[in-house]
Amino acid sequence: MNLKRIFGAILTILGIVSLIYAAQVFLTATENTRDIRTLVIYGILGLLFFVSGISLVKTTKDES
């Protein structure tokens, strides 16, 4: 069991969920109620989690 790979997968999933939520907020908001702060926070956190999770999974070597 490789703990780094599991943590990388969890980060990747959190990043995907956050990016999907940011896209959903963007698509459902009207012009008057668009919350820019929420979009930016979830978008940046989602991108950060996604990239770090993918990087962690890629750089971790399988050793048995």
Side-chain angles (χ1 to χ4, degrees), residues 10-63:
I10 291 170
L11 280 177
T12 304
I13 291 169
L14 282 174
I16 290 170
V17 168
S18 181
L19 287 172
I20 289 172
Y21 181 71
Q24 189 264 338
V25 167
F26 178 74
L27 290 176
T28 60
T30 61
E31 194 169 315
N32 296 332
T33 62
R34 188 164 296 181
D35 193 6
I36 301 298
R37 188 178 306 158
T38 304
L39 289 173
V40 170
I41 289 172
Y42 281 108
I44 289 175
L45 282 177
L47 192 62
L48 181 72
F49 284 172
F50 183 73
V51 169
S52 63
I54 292 293
S55 174
L56 194 59
V57 169
K58 271 176 59 174
T59 59
T60 304
K61 294 183 173 134
D62 283 332
E63 296 177 1

